[in-house]
Amino acid sequence: MRQKKIVMIGALILAFNLLIMCGKKDDHKTGEIAKDEQAGDEGFVGTIKAKPINYDSMFAIIAPLVDAVKNNPENIELRKQLVAVSYDTTWETILSAGTGIPMEHAATESIAMKYAEKAAAADAYRWAIYIKKWKTEPAFPDIDKIEGEIQGKIVARQDLPDKRVSVLVEVQASKLP
């Protein structure tokens, strides 16, 4: 129990530092503006490119927060922390983590691990729906009562020591129910 608290405090400190380093993103779009060299001075054409995300660092912050909410689903403050770290309001994307267990009776270990990855992605997509809901309504009850079909992409994957698979997915908030 004490070790779990230490891990949680470490994750919160990491999340806080990441938020400070990234700055407040709600007020403006971040990224690079590229000038069209052929347009001349009067015909300035700019494009905004997103800065690359370090998915491994985000994974290290988001996965423990998801686990903390799983273990304490009624804690509104944990929900708010998860939303603050996972929901990018500038680009309207959500990063979410999930875990999956390998299929016991699969023909091969690679097939078992593929099923574990699919289960982890489904779990992460489910958490993405919660994160979107909790952004506007942190006290939303009934953690197991949300349904919906969503699409996103797996941006990071980890094989855990206990044979489980953990993934980080990125989803456009507009594609969530």
Side-chain angles (χ1 to χ4, degrees):
M1 183 64 138
R2 182 178 175 100
Q3 186 179 21
K4 192 180 266 186
K5 286 183 181 180
I6 290 171
V7 170
M8 177 56 72
I9 290 170
L12 293 176
I13 289 170
L14 246 170
F16 181 73
N17 286 336
L18 183 65
L19 290 174
I20 289 173
M21 288 174 26
C22 292
K24 188 174 181 181
K25 296 194 299 187
D26 290 343
D27 296 335
H28 61 284
K29 300 264 188 220
T30 58
E32 293 180 11
I33 298 179
K35 181 178 179 184
D36 185 356
E37 298 295 331
Q38 298 174 347
D41 289 338
E42 291 127 16
F44 179 77
V45 177
T47 57
I48 297 176
K49 296 180 184 176
K51 288 187 177 183
I53 296 172
N54 185 334
Y55 291 115
D56 292 333
S57 296
M58 293 302 293
F59 202 178
I61 294 168
I62 293 170
L65 279 172
V66 168
D67 287 341
V69 174
K70 280 181 187 177
N71 294 331
N72 194 357
E74 303 301 320
N75 188 326
I76 304 301
E77 287 307 310
L78 282 176
R79 291 179 181 188
K80 288 179 182 179
Q81 290 171 11
L82 180 60
V83 169
V85 172
S86 300
Y87 200 110
D88 183 343
T89 56
T90 301
W91 301 104
E92 291 295 321
T93 58
I94 295 172
L95 292 174
S96 181
T99 55
I101 300 169
M103 188 176 183
E104 288 183 28
H105 303 292
T108 66
E109 186 176 339
S110 63
I111 292 173
M113 296 308 281
K114 190 65 176 169
Y115 278 112
E117 183 178 307
K118 285 186 177 194
D123 187 40
Y125 291 139
R126 181 174 63 93
W127 285 103
I129 294 170
Y130 295 138
I131 290 166
K132 181 179 180 184
K133 186 68 175 173
W134 291 336
K135 182 179 182 320
T136 56
E137 193 179 342
F140 179 76
D142 300 330
I143 197 164
D144 291 328
K145 302 279 182 173
I146 292 181
E147 292 181 17
E149 289 186 33
I150 57 174
Q151 292 183 8
K153 62 182 176 180
I154 296 174
V155 294
R157 175 195 157 126
Q158 287 182 344
D159 292 330
L160 302 174
D162 62 357
K163 301 282 185 185
R164 293 180 305 146
V165 173
S166 185
V167 298
L168 182 73
V169 297
E170 183 176 42
V171 181
Q172 286 296 123
S174 61
K175 294 183 180 179
L176 293 171

